[in-house]
């Protein structure tokens, strides 16, 4: 689960109020969101209370699944997913130590972070949700939750460093690496190869962002842990790790050869989109071309990514 895009927030003030004041103002905020989203007219706003009552009748797992359905199959109605998740969040205090309740709350926070980052460009709220999800995962020792919370936090730190919302600092760098390495270790432990690739993408971002990356700190992640039997993802991670190792050795021509292979790879798309891998290869190749002084090729590839 990766956070891939940043968009300007449409309703940041309403969203912040909706997310953090659910107990005291749920009805009014739902009405505002449904009207803004075109789901309700002003004359029908009184039905918001019925809508909330219908959500409250669902179990926490059912609410989480409903939110996922909205966010995955109907991305244009992300607000509906956030309404489901807001009701879920309101159940955290009552959940106590009930693992069956805490797991869907944890995953709801992870998916809500994806939505607020991708749809609203709200990095601060996304970071808060992921930190809270990581706290729950740590508390109940949920390996999958630790994996996805850490990987998404690592990606989020990249966006913080590259955006105008946060200046790069040693603390940012250390946090990004900590999240990335922890997510990598969690993914390997869970044998979640898709998540391994996600953590390696974060690592690549970190390596390419830093002009003088600390080889010793990232050496652990430059050993491909994916077994050849994982045919759907092994070719990708194998070429990616080889390219990163060569890049770290400043063998840019051979590293670029690896990354260019990723641009045209064909493989089983069970775990990932082929376009995702092709575009990652183009991005890494473009950055490597810059290192080799071939700015024209780099610009062409980055322009392709911008227009795709």
């Amino acid at each position: 689960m990766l956070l891939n895009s940043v968009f300007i927030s449409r309703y940041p003030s309403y969203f912040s109020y909706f997310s953090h004041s659910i107990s005291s103002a749920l009805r009014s905020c739902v009405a505002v969101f449904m009207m803004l989203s075109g789901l309700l007219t002003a004359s029908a706003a009184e039905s918001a209370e019925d809508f909330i009552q219908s959500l409250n009748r669902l179990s926490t797992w059912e609410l989480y699944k409903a939110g996922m359905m909205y966010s995955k199959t109907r991305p244009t109605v992300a607000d509906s997913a956030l309404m489901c998740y807001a009701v879920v969040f309101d159940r955290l205090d009552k959940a106590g130590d009930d693992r069956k309740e805490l797991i869907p709350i944890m995953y709801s926070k992870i998916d809500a972070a994806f939505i607020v980052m991708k749809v609203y460009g709200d990095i601060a709220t996304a970071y808060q949700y992921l930190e809270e999800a990581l706290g729950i995962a740590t508390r109940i020792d949920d390996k999958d939750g630790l994996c996805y919370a850490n990987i998404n936090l690592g990606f989020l730190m990249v966006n913080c460093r590259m955006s105008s919302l946060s200046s790069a600092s040693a603390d940012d760098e250390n946090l990004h690496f900590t999240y990335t390495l922890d997510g990598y270790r969690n993914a390997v432990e869970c044998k979640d190869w898709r998540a391994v690739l996600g953590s390696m993408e974060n690592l690549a971002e970190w390596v390419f962002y830093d002009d003088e990356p600390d080889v010793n700190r990232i050496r652990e992640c430059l050993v491909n842990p994916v077994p050849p039997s994982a045919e759907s993802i092994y070719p990708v991670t194998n070429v990616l790790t080889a390219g990163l190792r060569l890049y770290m050795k400043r063998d840019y021509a051979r590293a670029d050869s690896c990354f260019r292979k990723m641009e045209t790879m064909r493989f089983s798309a069970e775990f990932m989109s082929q376009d995702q891998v092709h575009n990652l290869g183009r991005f890494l190749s473009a950055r490597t071309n810059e290192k080799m002084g071939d700015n024209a090729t780099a610009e062409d590839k980055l322009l392709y990514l911008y227009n795709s």
Side-chain angles (χ1 to χ4, degrees), residues 99 106 135-146 189:
R99 185 182 180 88
M106 173 188 68
I136 295 173
T138 302
R139 175 179 164 192
I140 63 177
D141 193 29
D142 186 271
K143 302 301 183 184
D144 289 324
L146 288 168
E189 184 177 357

Side-chain angles (χ1 to χ4, degrees), residues 219-246:
R219 186 170 292 156
E220 178 179 345
C221 293
L222 295 182
V223 178
N224 186 8
V226 181
S229 58
E231 296 179 359
S232 59
I233 196 170
Y234 176 77
V236 180
T237 57
N238 195 42
V239 172
L240 178 56
T241 52
L244 289 175
R245 285 197 298 267
L246 290 166

